[in-house]
Amino acid sequence: MKVAILGASSHIAKDLIASLAQSTAYKCTLFVRTPATLDAGVQTIAECEGFPVLDYAAFDDSGEFDAIINFVGVGDPARAVQMGQAIFSVTEQYDNLALAYLRSHPACKYIYLSSGAAYGTNFSAPITGDSVAVFPINALQPQHWYGAAKFQAECRHRALPEAAITDVRVFSYFSHRQSCEARFFLSDILRSLHTGTVLEVAPDDMLRDYLTPADFMQLIDRVLQAPPGNDAVDCYSLAPVGKFELLAAVSDEFGLKFTVAGEQARVNATGPKAHYYSHNRRAEQLFGYVPGDSSLSGVLREIRQALHARN
């Protein structure tokens, strides 16, 4: 299967490219804004596997694809703040690139990396199959723009029922390739483990469902191999994890030192999310996806791998 990867320089795309390279079923073409600046590790994989690395100007002339996977977006909350309203035009630009290809190649599948943020501000309880998107339409703030851009993209996709489009909503994701400089909770943990410094955390708890590379690959593989359809699915592991449960486990296994302090100056680009995870199991119903890891087991394994790579 020939697969075009848009946004191949993103963190989650790098992990998927590494996973796809282990399968003889997939031949990838990687698209980025500036090929020369592609991550060295991904560049090595591309060279070994014969995956072309191209800029977007070459997309229309780069051949026939069986599937497109669109990772273009913002992975780091700090970058989402910097982008501001440009998130709307960037999201639409590359989504339109894929949709235009589908119009001339109707047999092509399109996987769009959406986000749990597409549900808006609806996280006082876990998401279910009956949940609705909630946005304060009369009081929209920059923190809502990322989720609104994803929601808009999903609306465009549902308006094309004949197109083979699957929106994959990622809530939380972590791998050993995560940059310590990114502004995520787990990046802060990694940075403290690397430097031996004490991590300061806010007193409020939060529940997250962290997907890791093996289960993400399983889900994407099942979507690619399934009959074409037009739908959206939420990502999930075997079980979410609370902040302090995770901190205790990382402290026990890796010696993390942390202290509870006041509210931290954390970048909150998409608003507060006490229960940022989903009980919606449509991915199992449609594709037979059953995760192999819980959030805790997956995160601990990836931290273990990150520390081993550094040493």
Side-chain angles (χ1 to χ4, degrees):
M1 180 177 285
K2 296 180 180 179
V3 181
I5 307 288
L6 308 185
S9 59
S10 78
H11 169 213
I12 192 168
K14 294 173 188 176
D15 288 331
L16 184 68
I17 292 164
S19 297
L20 291 172
Q22 297 176 19
S23 170
T24 58
Y26 300 106
K27 188 71 174 178
C28 300
T29 300
L30 314 183
F31 291 92
V32 291
R33 291 187 183 90
T34 310
T37 61
L38 184 64
D39 177 87
V42 179
Q43 187 69 55
T44 298
I45 293 172
E47 292 172 357
C48 291
E49 300 297 326
F51 292 171
V53 181
L54 306 173
D55 61 32
Y56 293 107
F59 181 74
D60 289 335
D61 303 318
S62 52
E64 298 283 327
F65 298 113
D66 300 299
I68 299 169
I69 308 178
N70 184 359
F71 289 93
V72 176
V74 181
D76 187 340
R79 185 162 171 257
V81 172
Q82 293 169 0
M83 283 191 70
Q85 63 186 13
I87 190 66
F88 291 104
S89 57
V90 169
T91 299
E92 187 173 10
Q93 176 185 355
Y94 293 97
D95 188 40
N96 283 339
L97 185 69
L99 295 179
Y101 189 88
L102 262 62
R103 283 192 288 272
S104 57
H105 301 80
C108 183
K109 293 181 178 179
Y110 178 28
I111 297 177
Y112 176 76
L113 264 290
S114 188
S115 169
Y119 283 102
T121 59
N122 196 6
F123 302 107
S124 58
I127 294 298
T128 70
D130 296 323
S131 295
V132 297
V134 177
F135 290 93
I137 193 167
N138 292 315
L140 288 171
Q141 300 294 322
Q143 68 191 38
H144 303 124
W145 294 345
Y146 175 76
K150 294 295 188 183
F151 180 74
Q152 286 181 347
E154 291 199 27
C155 289
R156 287 194 295 271
H157 300 162
R158 298 296 82 75
L160 299 169
E162 73 287 350
I165 305 174
T166 303
D167 297 322
V168 175
R169 301 182 188 121
V170 177
F171 283 73
S172 300
Y173 180 87
F174 179 71
S175 85
H176 62 279
R177 293 183 178 87
Q178 176 66 60
S179 169
C180 292
E181 305 308 315
R183 297 298 304 275
F184 293 108
F185 176 58
L186 283 173
S187 299
D188 293 345
I189 288 177
L190 265 186
R191 190 164 55 252
S192 291
L193 289 173
H194 287 327
T195 61
T197 55
V198 177
L199 175 66
E200 291 190 355
V201 300
D204 57 307
D205 201 359
M206 63 181 187
L207 281 93
R208 296 289 184 267
D209 199 358
Y210 292 102
L211 200 67
T212 48
D215 281 333
F216 183 64
M217 172 60 185
Q218 183 207 153
L219 177 56
I220 296 300
D221 179 59
R222 287 181 178 275
V223 175
L224 290 172
Q225 297 300 327
N230 187 297
D231 217 314
V233 295
D234 293 346
C235 291
Y236 51 88
S237 72
L238 285 173
V241 65
K243 180 172 75 174
F244 290 102
E245 177 188 3
L246 178 59
L247 286 168
V250 176
S251 178
D252 288 344
E253 181 163 348
F254 305 109
L256 174 72
K257 297 179 177 63
F258 69 92
T259 183
V260 177
E263 289 295 328
Q264 304 301 303
R266 178 177 300 281
V267 174
N268 192 351
T270 57
K273 299 178 179 66
H275 297 268
Y276 192 51
Y277 60 97
S278 176
H279 287 317
N280 183 356
R281 296 301 184 256
R282 193 160 179 77
E284 181 176 3
Q285 297 165 10
L286 291 177
F287 304 114
Y289 165 74
V290 178
D293 269 311
S294 67
S295 292
L296 185 58
S297 65
V299 166
L300 291 179
R301 184 186 60 251
E302 294 299 316
I303 290 178
R304 202 175 297 123
Q305 190 169 348
L307 295 177
H308 176 76
R310 189 177 179 90
N311 295 331

